[in-house]
Amino acid sequence: MSYTKKASKAIMTDYKVVIIILVLGVFLTFSSDVFLTSRNLMNVLRQVCVNAMVASAFVIVISTAGIDLSVGSIVGLVGVIVAVCLKANVPIVLSCLIGIVAGAGLGAINAFFITKFDLLPFVVTLSTQMIFRGAIYLITNMSPITGLPDEFLPLGQGYVGPVPVPVFFMIIIAVVAWFLVNRTKFGRYALAIGGNATAARVSGVDVKKYLSGCYILCGAFCGIAALVLTARTASAQTTAGVNMEMDIIAGCVIGGTPMTGGICNVYGSLLGCLLVGLVGNGMNILGVNANWQTVMKGLLILIAVLIDKVSATIYEAKKA
């Protein structure tokens, strides 16, 4: 393949998100004096970090041709669990560990029903989404849990120099996810399951085992994201994580991970989440009705799918 063909393919696939972000950034810069301020950009970055942390594992689930619609409810429920522990004077480190283990446990519940009874991930996680959200309402009695220890808050509100602490969590989690996908047997088998589960099984891959691992990992990452979100808001809100899964799905698909499985783009998912965050932030500072944000996120997913389809068709045509 010539250099020109390689460059055109990269632009249409690998770098489309970067190009869209740059175009959107230029537009918002000229449209508002607020957008390019350090305060606004840091605010966007802090907001994106939670979704990006979950997306780092969510793309692995998608790469198996699965889906987890319960991630937002897991984040909310873990936040409540951690807040209850902190209010009961459980040490902060132990409370955080309990939260991460709880997240992994909730992911294991999804994995159990999906693998044990061969149920569709969409149906299982849609059900557990409502179950976990109901648990939040029951535990909190529809009231936020406030008055968390000041020592806990830097996880979501602190800085290391000029960089917010959540950014470091996001980077570490993304690196771990990338390493798992690209440098371990776990990642290779996850992609193999997404590409063709039957072929993977015939080849000796324990499909149920590795599929379960993906959902448990996703739950654990949700647990870490919940710690950051709870610390950032200094409370466990009953609405925490509501509709989060839609933003994450949009970010992952826009970032180059198709819902059909077999492909996983961890860093692309981070850029996709950034783009979704910028769209929401841009519409807010421009005074656009908040209801249009949902419309825009849906359009972004459609556009991303179309670009992937068109670029794949062009690439295959050029190969031929």
Side-chain angles (χ1 to χ4, degrees):
M1 185 187 297
S2 68
Y3 176 80
T4 303
K5 290 182 178 180
K6 288 182 180 179
S8 61
K9 177 180 179 291
I11 290 172
M12 290 184 294
T13 55
D14 301 335
Y15 303 121
K16 66 177 183 292
V17 186
V18 177
I19 293 172
I20 297 172
I21 289 174
L22 290 175
V23 172
L24 180 61
V26 171
F27 170 76
L28 292 175
T29 299
F30 284 101
S31 301
S32 172
D33 296 332
V34 177
F35 173 73
L36 210 55
T37 61
S38 59
R39 181 177 180 180
N40 182 63
L41 294 178
M42 283 299 176
N43 182 50
V44 172
L45 196 56
R46 278 196 297 267
Q47 291 175 345
V48 166
C49 282
V50 173
N51 285 355
M53 282 187 275
V54 178
S56 294
F58 196 92
V59 287
I60 301 177
V61 172
I62 293 179
S63 74
T64 67
I67 195 168
D68 189 348
L69 298 177
S70 69
V71 289
S73 295
I74 292 176
V75 168
L77 182 52
V78 170
V80 168
I81 292 171
V82 172
V84 169
C85 290
L86 291 173
K87 295 287 284 187
N89 296 319
V90 176
I92 292 175
V93 174
L94 181 57
S95 295
C96 292
L97 289 175
I98 290 172
I100 296 171
V101 171
L106 295 174
I109 292 174
N110 287 333
F112 173 77
F113 285 102
I114 291 169
T115 59
K116 181 70 174 179
F117 301 102
D118 198 26
L119 299 177
L120 292 174
F122 178 89
V123 175
V124 171
T125 58
L126 181 61
S127 301
T128 55
Q129 176 195 64
M130 293 184 282
I131 293 170
F132 300 156
R133 184 61 56 183
I136 293 172
Y137 298 152
L138 289 171
I139 295 171
T140 63
N141 198 26
M142 296 299 292
S143 298
I145 301 175
T146 57
L148 305 183
D150 291 339
E151 295 80 8
F152 173 71
L153 304 186
L155 288 177
Q157 301 178 11
Y159 284 82
V160 177
V163 183
V165 170
V167 174
F168 289 99
F169 280 103
M170 178 185 70
I171 293 172
I172 292 171
I173 285 179
V175 170
V176 170
W178 181 90
F179 180 82
L180 287 173
V181 171
N182 295 280
R183 293 291 185 269
T184 68
K185 182 170 67 175
F186 173 83
R188 290 195 300 272
Y189 286 176
L191 295 177
I193 292 169
N196 190 322
T198 302
R201 187 179 294 107
V202 171
S203 301
V205 176
D206 189 339
V207 172
K208 292 185 177 181
K209 173 184 174 181
Y210 286 97
L211 201 58
S212 296
C214 293
Y215 284 92
I216 293 171
L217 178 70
C218 190
F221 279 25
C222 285
I224 299 172
L227 299 177
V228 173
L229 179 60
T230 305
R232 195 184 79 199
T233 58
S235 62
Q237 298 290 328
T238 59
T239 57
V242 171
N243 293 328
M244 176 184 286
E245 57 278 351
M246 301 311 298
D247 288 353
I248 292 171
I249 290 172
C252 292
V253 174
I254 292 167
T257 301
M259 300 294 290
T260 50
I263 298 174
C264 184
N265 190 335
V266 175
Y267 293 147
S269 70
L270 304 188
L271 292 172
C273 287
L274 176 59
L275 177 57
V276 173
L278 286 175
V279 169
N281 177 257
M283 297 184 80
N284 284 333
I285 62 178
L286 293 177
V288 179
N289 188 315
N291 294 327
W292 280 101
Q293 292 187 28
T294 304
V295 176
M296 287 302 301
K297 288 169 187 175
L299 287 174
L300 283 172
I301 295 176
L302 280 176
I303 291 170
V305 172
L306 285 172
I307 291 175
D308 281 336
K309 181 68 175 178
V310 171
S311 60
T313 302
I314 294 174
Y315 176 56
E316 290 300 325
K318 286 184 176 180
K319 279 175 58 179

